[in-house]
Amino acid sequence: MRQSSVRGEGARRRGPGPRDGGRDGSARGEDGGASRDAGPTAGEGAGSQDAAAADTGSQGGGSQGGSRAESRRAARADAQGGGRRRKGKKGPRRKRSRGVRILRWTALTLAVLIVGAAGAGYLYYQHLNGNIKKAELDLGDSKLTKPEPNAAGQTPLNILLIGEDDRSKKENLKLGGSKKDATRKPLADVQMLVHVSADRSNMTVISIPRDTRVTIPKCTDPKDDRVYPKQTFAPINESLQHGGPGCTVATWKELTGIYIDHFMMVDFSGVVDMADAVGGVPVCVDANIYSHDSKGHGSGLRLTKGTHPVKGVQALQWLRTRYGFEDNTDIGRAKAQHQYMSSMVRQLKAGTKLSDPGKLIDLAEAAINALTVDHGLGTVKKLYDLGNDLKRVPTKRTTMVTMPWEYRNEGEYVVPKPGDAEKTFSLIRNDIALDGKDKKKKAAKVPAPSMDKGELPVVVQNGTGSTVLGAASGRARDITAEVARLGYTKATANTVLTSQADTTISYPDKARHGDALALAKALGMSKSAVKESQSVTEVTLVVGNDWREGTTYPKSAADDEDKAPKIDDTLNGDEKKCMHVNPGYTF
């Protein structure tokens, strides 16, 4: 095991020490005491130490010149003040010499242990860093930009979690799938976006079923520069085959309009190893379940009614079960994955699995070996810092949902539900919690404009640079003309194309807040579209993909910006629910 080899290397670095104790020091450095399995050299070193500590006139315990029993008796007699003194030696001096030697040995042993532990820790840290697998974050051509910080300088954090079904490894093939799949490229069978609010007060986890039909944008594989052309109406899990996780990230960005900061991808065997390291994750079913039928459908999961801690292969079966939960579709599977993830988060937050250093190391090894991450998360420190960031979010403010969807083609696949899916994405883009528990802002007095609208400089920019839909040409020019018609005669067009889902109005400081609100009202836009930004110097209107045509801002259900659409399978991080078992898969 890598861990053992690293520790061994650390132990070799800390020995030998000074001549009179190097061998014994290195032997003790492994386990805090003299090794029973040490060879003759180590044994002689230990014997020398015993003799030095019990020097009472014999020729040295453990040597051929006298027996160890005699040495021990002499040492006890000397300790009681009755042993024979060596000729020409004075008692006090001999006692001082013995004390100095004991102190010297103790100090040396402590020094070796401290230096050795530090060396081993550094080597282990480097070992973990060296095992982290990394890939490009985004393989598309998206012009989507990171959200601007809020007034407190905080920005939200979005991480895409991907579970891949790579079967090229023997351990993965053994855990699931057929041999004919061993040569095909892996699919992204689990996809969840973790959105952490800018103030770290809440977290939303949204899943998209693997058979959802979407547009996969053009992606370029950085390994061989192969270009995968845009593919319309394709299963979202196939995005991983277009160059790697960076294309799945690009697909999510284009579908949702959400900027993604990082991704983390894990494979079959990694799920098993991590579940083992955690010690099992409690899950619950409302009836006996056996996910298997005569046609070979099912994951093989077999549980009796109630709550069970699943780990190893059983944990993987839970996460892969489709036949046996709910209506035997990916929707039920996504719900089971939410319950598993929620339970694991509760368990880790409780800290019971992290108090044992051995278990913590096992978890670190399992996580590092299982993960592929983007370069921005490519060190142990960055992963550690991310973990600390996520720990700040209380479980009661964690909400897990599946993207609003609807069946198509007699249930063969699903598509994003018109209106509701976009509304959900919009709430996440605008950092609004789906649990509805955000603190309500007091209705503040609307500030008055700082100047006449005819004197206000306004910059208009085209933000419709979607790689899926293509840019809507002339939007900056057309809307600049409309803004001028409304009386803002100093409006000018910025010809640089950008991309964002929502039309926004940004202002540089509080002095211009009233001016930005007045412009939003004139265009028929909501107050939530108005944001303070440190990156603009004038009031700036970016025309998003929600306004790709016409000069009248489109009205929609999104005007009620703080209200989430009804989603049936929402799960709160503190809830402990049982999965509903399909009657056809019980026993």
Side-chain angles (χ1 to χ4, degrees):
M1 185 177 178
R2 294 186 181 92
Q3 176 186 339
S4 299
S5 64
V6 172
R7 285 177 172 172
E9 186 175 351
R12 289 193 298 271
R13 283 185 175 229
R14 56 179 176 260
R19 283 184 187 176
D20 58 351
R23 289 172 183 154
D24 189 52
S26 63
R28 289 175 180 269
E30 289 289 342
D31 58 10
S35 173
R36 292 182 178 178
D37 298 326
T41 302
E44 289 169 15
S48 300
Q49 181 186 355
D50 292 338
D55 186 5
T56 60
S58 67
Q59 296 300 311
S63 70
Q64 294 179 359
S67 70
R68 294 183 181 181
E70 290 175 350
S71 296
R72 286 193 292 269
R73 284 194 297 271
R76 284 195 297 270
D78 189 43
Q80 295 168 4
R84 288 184 300 169
R85 297 182 182 180
R86 299 177 70 178
K87 189 176 181 179
K89 298 288 184 181
K90 294 183 180 180
R93 184 175 181 180
R94 182 171 64 254
K95 288 181 179 179
R96 184 166 59 250
S97 176
R98 176 189 174 200
V100 168
R101 289 185 180 184
I102 291 175
L103 179 61
R104 185 175 63 194
W105 273 100
T106 303
L108 174 64
T109 303
L110 286 174
V112 168
L113 286 173
I114 292 170
V115 174
Y122 174 75
L123 288 170
Y124 187 62
Y125 176 83
Q126 292 298 94
H127 156 71
L128 290 178
N129 271 340
N131 279 2
I132 297 176
K133 297 181 289 293
K134 297 177 280 289
E136 294 298 323
L137 175 62
D138 187 352
L139 302 183
D141 298 325
S142 173
K143 295 179 174 60
L144 200 62
T145 56
K146 188 177 178 67
E148 287 292 324
N150 60 19
Q154 304 163 315
T155 55
L157 183 64
N158 296 304
I159 309 161
L160 185 62
L161 304 182
I162 304 170
E164 54 141 325
D165 72 342
D166 181 14
R167 293 183 171 94
S168 62
K169 301 176 185 176
K170 290 182 179 179
E171 56 268 35
N172 284 345
L173 189 60
K174 183 179 178 181
L175 291 169
S178 59
K179 291 183 178 180
K180 65 181 178 64
D181 291 330
T183 57
R184 74 155 167 78
K185 292 182 178 181
L187 298 165
D189 274 359
V190 178
Q191 299 180 38
M192 298 181 183
L193 181 70
V194 179
H195 170 82
V196 188
S197 65
D199 62 3
R200 305 303 187 254
S201 68
N202 65 86
M203 180 167 69
T204 297
V205 181
I206 182 169
S207 292
I208 293 182
R210 67 172 188 169
D211 59 359
T212 304
R213 296 305 193 259
V214 298
T215 296
I216 301 175
K218 182 185 77 171
C219 291
T220 303
D221 189 335
K223 294 179 181 178
D224 56 11
D225 292 328
R226 177 178 175 181
V227 177
Y228 292 85
K230 181 177 74 173
Q231 189 174 353
T232 59
F233 213 67
I236 194 170
N237 66 344
E238 292 182 1
S239 60
L240 190 63
Q241 297 181 329
H242 292 213
C247 194
T248 302
V249 169
T251 301
W252 270 75
K253 288 170 72 173
E254 290 297 337
L255 173 67
T256 66
I258 299 170
Y259 181 85
I260 296 176
D261 299 274
H262 302 292
F263 76 80
M264 302 175 73
M265 184 170 71
V266 64
D267 64 9
F268 278 171
S269 59
V271 171
V272 172
D273 292 342
M274 291 180 71
D276 286 348
V278 170
V281 177
V283 295
C284 180
V285 287
D286 65 4
N288 296 347
I289 180 175
Y290 183 35
S291 178
H292 179 76
D293 64 15
S294 59
K295 297 180 180 179
H297 295 146
S299 67
L301 179 69
R302 187 181 180 95
L303 293 173
T304 55
K305 178 181 178 180
T307 301
H308 304 269
V310 295
K311 59 181 180 178
V313 174
Q314 207 170 43
L316 179 64
Q317 288 173 336
W318 176 275
L319 293 169
R320 295 183 62 220
T321 294
R322 171 176 177 173
Y323 293 95
F325 287 151
E326 307 281 346
D327 60 353
N328 297 333
T329 68
D330 277 326
I331 307 305
R333 172 160 42 196
K335 189 181 295 187
Q337 291 166 355
H338 290 164
Q339 291 194 15
Y340 180 94
M341 184 175 178
S342 180
S343 180
M344 177 179 270
V345 169
R346 286 196 301 271
Q347 199 165 11
L348 289 176
K349 273 181 170 285
T352 55
K353 303 301 176 185
L354 302 182
S355 58
D356 183 333
K359 289 181 179 178
L360 183 58
I361 288 175
D362 288 344
L363 182 58
E365 286 278 355
I368 294 299
N369 291 331
L371 288 176
T372 300
V373 299
D374 64 279
H375 292 281
L377 281 181
T379 68
V380 173
K381 184 181 185 306
K382 290 177 180 177
L383 288 169
Y384 177 81
D385 290 343
L386 173 63
N388 279 339
D389 224 12
L390 296 177
K391 277 172 60 179
R392 294 167 56 190
V393 182
T395 53
K396 65 182 180 180
R397 293 299 312 278
T398 299
T399 306
M400 299 188 181
V401 301
T402 301
M403 171 198 72
W405 52 271
E406 62 183 25
Y407 284 120
R408 291 284 176 87
N409 200 27
E410 298 181 352
E412 181 182 346
Y413 51 81
V414 301
V415 296
K417 187 175 183 179
D420 283 358
E422 171 54 28
K423 174 62 179 176
T424 305
F425 300 149
S426 176
L427 290 171
I428 294 173
R429 288 194 300 265
N430 288 285
D431 202 20
I432 298 171
L434 266 64
D435 63 4
K437 296 179 181 178
D438 279 342
K439 292 181 180 179
K440 300 296 181 182
K441 297 178 181 179
K442 294 182 180 180
K445 183 179 179 181
V446 177
S450 65
M451 64 183 73
D452 183 84
K453 61 183 178 181
E455 299 298 320
L456 179 70
V458 176
V459 177
V460 182
Q461 188 172 10
N462 186 350
T464 65
S466 168
T467 59
V468 171
L469 300 173
S473 62
R475 295 305 291 157
R477 180 194 62 228
D478 294 345
I479 302 305
T480 298
E482 174 63 13
V483 169
R485 188 189 69 80
L486 293 172
Y488 294 86
T489 54
K490 287 196 173 182
T492 57
N494 180 343
T495 59
V496 177
L497 180 67
T498 186
S499 179
Q500 62 183 51
D502 306 306
T503 299
T504 59
I505 298 176
S506 302
Y507 59 95
D509 50 50
K510 291 183 179 179
R512 301 289 179 89
H513 189 189
D515 300 305
L517 288 171
L519 176 59
K521 183 177 181 180
L523 291 168
M525 297 171 60
S526 65
K527 294 178 183 178
S528 64
V530 177
K531 305 176 186 297
E532 184 176 357
S533 171
Q534 299 173 2
S535 65
V536 299
T537 56
E538 304 290 352
V539 173
T540 302
L541 167 64
V542 179
V543 184
N545 279 297
D546 60 344
W547 193 8
R548 293 177 60 85
E549 59 184 15
T551 56
T552 301
Y553 184 73
K555 299 285 185 180
S556 69
D559 292 337
D560 189 8
E561 64 268 9
D562 290 338
K563 188 175 181 180
K566 180 176 174 54
I567 303 176
D568 294 332
D569 60 348
T570 298
L571 178 67
N572 181 272
D574 272 351
E575 289 181 283
K576 298 179 181 179
K577 292 184 177 181
C578 292
M579 279 301 298
H580 174 61
V581 176
N582 187 291
Y585 289 83
T586 190
F587 65 92

